[in-house]
Amino acid sequence: MEELFDVLNEKGNYTGKVETREKCHKDGLWHKAVVTFIINSKEQVLLQRRSLNKKLWPNMWDVTAGGHVLAGEFGFETGIREAKEELGIDLNKNEMTFIGSSISSNVKGDIVNNHFNEYYIVNKDVDETKLILQKEEVAEVKWIDKDEIINRIKNNYDGITDKEGCWEYLIKYYEWRNNIIGEAKDKF
């Protein structure tokens, strides 16, 4: 069954229209997408390598989980659904921290992705060897150290997807977290 998306206007407001994924991507209709980063107690981020079958960014390292918001769905619901579908990870709303949003426009071949993006962080230790990967979507997963992912982002997205906005939000989260930890250490 074809996925259906709520169509938004250029300001991110709902238009009351619902269209298929194909129509949204063919005509560049605005819709929502979600990115979820899972970060463990070592401050490593869990990344997935996209399947060779993917139309966009095949075989590239990508965010922990992400996808389009289906018609009638809230962003956090998409994050929960995508983590389960792609990786077999059970999340709940209380584990998800909303860290921001942005707009992005990517044109790759005949696909026009005009997104209003939502970004979430989940702090959770996950055993990557026990994950159930959705083979059509995900080739493998691995934990990446904070410094390595930041260097890859700053080095023209070295080996990772060049998704506008999402990686910058991860850096901002790490900066915020380091400031909080630094302030806590200063108090002692």
Side-chain angles (χ1 to χ4, degrees):
M1 185 167 76
E2 176 116 33
E3 292 177 317
L4 297 175
F5 305 154
D6 287 312
V7 176
L8 309 175
N9 66 20
E10 300 80 25
K11 294 182 179 184
N13 297 319
Y14 290 95
T15 63
K17 295 178 184 171
V18 173
E19 291 291 350
T20 64
R21 169 196 279 267
E22 182 180 327
K23 175 103 170 133
C24 288
H25 288 167
K26 180 180 174 234
D27 295 347
L29 301 175
W30 287 93
H31 54 286
K32 285 188 175 187
V34 167
V35 168
T36 302
F37 291 106
I38 295 179
I39 297 176
N40 67 16
S41 57
K42 297 176 187 175
E43 291 195 340
Q44 297 170 314
V45 62
L46 185 65
L47 297 186
Q48 63 165 271
R49 188 165 56 82
R50 294 169 65 87
S51 163
L52 282 170
N53 304 331
K54 298 295 286 178
K55 290 181 183 176
L56 300 176
W57 303 287
N59 207 36
M60 299 287 295
W61 287 100
D62 199 4
V63 302
T64 307
H68 292 95
V69 177
L70 299 177
E73 202 172 45
F74 286 109
F76 73 88
E77 292 173 306
T78 301
I80 291 168
R81 176 177 50 79
E82 291 289 350
K84 182 67 173 175
E85 286 176 5
E86 294 176 0
L87 307 172
I89 297 174
D90 289 313
L91 299 178
N92 67 62
K93 181 181 178 183
N94 295 330
E95 292 176 295
M96 301 184 70
T97 301
F98 175 76
I99 60 167
S101 60
S102 71
I103 60 170
S104 64
S105 185
N106 292 303
V107 179
K108 302 259 187 204
D110 61 349
I111 298 174
V112 180
N113 256 331
N114 285 328
H115 287 163
F116 284 89
N117 304 297
E118 294 181 9
Y119 305 104
Y120 294 88
I121 296 287
V122 174
N123 295 107
K124 187 173 188 140
D125 288 317
V126 174
D127 183 349
E128 75 278 9
T129 65
K130 296 193 169 142
L131 298 181
I132 302 165
L133 306 183
Q134 183 182 23
K135 295 298 182 192
E136 309 83 53
E137 301 266 339
V138 182
E140 65 179 306
V141 295
K142 71 177 177 179
W143 289 104
I144 299 219
D145 290 326
K146 173 181 77 169
D147 292 338
E148 180 182 347
I149 192 62
I150 290 171
N151 286 335
R152 284 180 177 224
I153 295 164
K154 291 182 177 181
N155 191 22
N156 200 29
Y157 306 104
D158 180 28
I160 60 175
T161 59
D162 60 352
K163 291 181 176 176
E164 196 175 308
C166 72
W167 298 110
E168 289 77 12
Y169 271 89
L170 179 64
I171 289 175
K172 292 301 275 179
Y173 173 78
Y174 277 133
E175 289 171 352
W176 170 81
R177 187 170 166 89
N178 285 341
N179 287 339
I180 297 296
I181 291 169
E183 289 172 9
K185 285 181 182 177
D186 290 344
K187 289 183 181 179
F188 291 101

